[in-house]
C-alpha cells in the first residue's frame, strides 16, 4: 500500500477509499471480462455469429428504453438505494443465467431464444456495471481527491481484466464457458460487502446531510 501511495501521491485520508473501492473495481473488472468472454463464446458457438448484426440492431432499439427505465428508477429511489439495488440486480441476473446455462449443459438442450436473451442481458450488465462503478467513484470522491484516487481505480479495473483473461484462458478448456459465466457472478458477489460498505460509509452521510 505504501508503494501505491507513493506512486500516486495518495494522502492518508485517501487510503481507506482506495482499499475499499479498489477491491470493488478489481473484482468488477474480473467479473466484467469473465462475463463478456463467456457469453460471447456461448452465443457465437450455440446461436451463430451470423446473428450478431441482428443482435446489435435489437440493442439499438433497446438502449433508449433501457436508459429511460433506469432514469425513471433513479428518480424514484434514493441514490444509495438505487446503486445497491443495481449491483444486486447484476448479481441476480448473472446467477440466474449461470444456473440456466448449467441446466442446458447437463440436459443437452439448446434453445436459440435463450441465447438471444443471454446476449442482451449480459451486454446490459457489462454496460451498466461500468457506468455504476464510475458513477459511484465520482460520487464518493471530491474533485481534488478524485484526481489522486481515480488512476488507482483504473489500475485496479485493468488488473482485474488481465486476471480474468488468464482465468478464462486457462480454465475455459477444462470447465467450459458456462462455469466461466458462473464465476462472473461469484466475483461480483465477492465485491458486494465492500460496495455496500463504501456507499454507507461515504455516500449515505452526504445524502442525509
Amino acid at each position: 500500500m505504501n508503494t501505491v501511495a507513493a506512486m500516486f501521491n495518495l494522502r492518508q485520508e485517501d487510503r481507506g477509499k482506495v482499499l475499499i473501492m479498489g477491491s470493488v473495481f478489481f473484482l468488477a473488472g474480473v467479473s466484467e471480462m469473465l462475463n463478456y468472454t463467456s457469453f460471447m463464446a456461448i452465443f457465437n458457438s450455440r446461436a451463430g455469429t451470423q446473428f450478431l448484426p441482428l443482435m446489435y440492431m435489437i440493442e439499438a432499439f433497446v438502449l433508449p428504453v433501457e436508459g429511460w427505465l433506469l432514469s425513471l428508477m433513479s428518480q424514484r429511489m434514493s441514490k444509495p438505494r438505487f446503486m445497491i439495488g443495481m449491483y444486486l440486480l447484476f448479481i441476480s441476473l448473472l446467477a440466474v443465467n449461470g444456473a440456466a446455462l448449467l441446466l442446458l449443459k447437463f440436459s443437452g438442450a439448446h434453445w436459440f431464444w435463450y441465447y438471444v436473451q443471454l446476449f442482451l442481458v449480459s451486454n446490459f450488465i457489462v454496460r451498466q456495471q461500468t457506468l455504476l462503478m464510475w458513477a459511484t467513484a465520482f460520487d464518493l470522491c471530491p474533485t481534488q481527491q478524485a484526481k489522486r484516487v481515480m488512476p488507482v481505480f483504473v489500475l485496479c479495473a485493468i488488473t482485474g481484466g488481465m486476471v480474468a483473461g488468464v482465468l478464462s484462458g486457462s480454465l475455459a478448456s477444462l470447465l467450459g464457458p458456462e462455469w466461466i459465466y458462473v464465476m462472473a457472478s461469484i466475483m461480483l458477489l465477492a465485491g458486494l460487502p465492500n460496495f455496500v460498505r463504501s456507499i454507507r460509509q461515504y455516500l449515505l452521510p452526504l445524502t442525509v446531510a
Side-chain angles (χ1 to χ4, degrees):
M1 184 63 190
N2 291 331
T3 304
V4 174
M7 289 175 58
F8 294 97
N9 297 317
L10 298 180
R11 299 178 182 176
Q12 189 63 36
E13 63 267 23
D14 301 332
R15 298 191 177 198
K17 288 182 181 179
V18 168
L19 286 173
I20 296 173
M21 283 302 295
S23 65
V24 175
F25 269 87
F26 172 77
L27 292 168
V30 176
S31 175
E32 180 179 332
M33 190 57 64
L34 291 178
N35 173 17
Y36 184 80
T37 55
S38 58
F39 91 74
M40 285 298 291
I42 292 169
F43 182 87
N44 290 340
S45 61
R46 310 285 168 77
T49 57
Q50 67 271 23
F51 291 103
L52 284 176
L54 175 62
M55 298 308 302
Y56 292 126
M57 287 180 61
I58 294 174
E59 283 199 321
F61 289 99
V62 169
L63 282 172
V65 179
E66 174 186 312
W68 176 77
L69 288 174
L70 291 177
S71 176
L72 185 64
M73 288 174 58
S74 66
Q75 293 172 16
R76 298 192 174 190
M77 302 169 65
S78 66
K79 182 172 288 188
R81 185 180 178 187
F82 175 75
M83 288 179 164
I84 295 173
M86 289 296 294
Y87 197 101
L88 290 171
L89 176 63
F90 301 152
I91 296 173
S92 300
L93 292 174
L94 286 170
V96 170
N97 263 328
L101 283 170
L102 293 178
L103 180 62
L104 290 174
K105 177 181 179 178
F106 293 125
S107 66
H110 295 288
W111 299 337
F112 172 79
W113 291 107
Y114 170 77
Y115 299 117
V116 170
Q117 173 273 149
L118 176 71
F119 185 99
L120 295 174
V121 169
S122 299
N123 247 344
F124 162 78
I125 296 171
V126 170
R127 282 193 305 273
Q128 296 302 326
Q129 178 183 317
T130 301
L131 293 175
L132 177 65
M133 289 296 102
W134 290 111
T136 303
F138 278 108
D139 284 339
L140 297 185
C141 302
T143 303
Q144 291 303 316
Q145 187 182 50
K147 293 178 181 179
R148 300 188 300 270
V149 301
M150 287 301 176
V152 183
F153 295 158
V154 172
L155 179 62
C156 291
I158 292 174
T159 304
M162 294 170 62
V163 170
V166 173
L167 288 174
S168 60
S170 58
L171 297 178
S173 59
L174 297 174
L175 302 177
E178 295 86 359
W179 282 108
I180 301 298
Y181 193 92
V182 172
M183 287 174 59
S185 64
I186 295 173
M187 291 297 174
L188 206 57
L189 179 62
L192 178 61
N194 274 351
F195 183 79
V196 174
R197 180 184 172 190
S198 65
I199 295 293
R200 290 178 176 173
Q201 187 170 337
Y202 300 114
L203 182 60
L204 195 57
L206 297 177
T207 59
V208 172

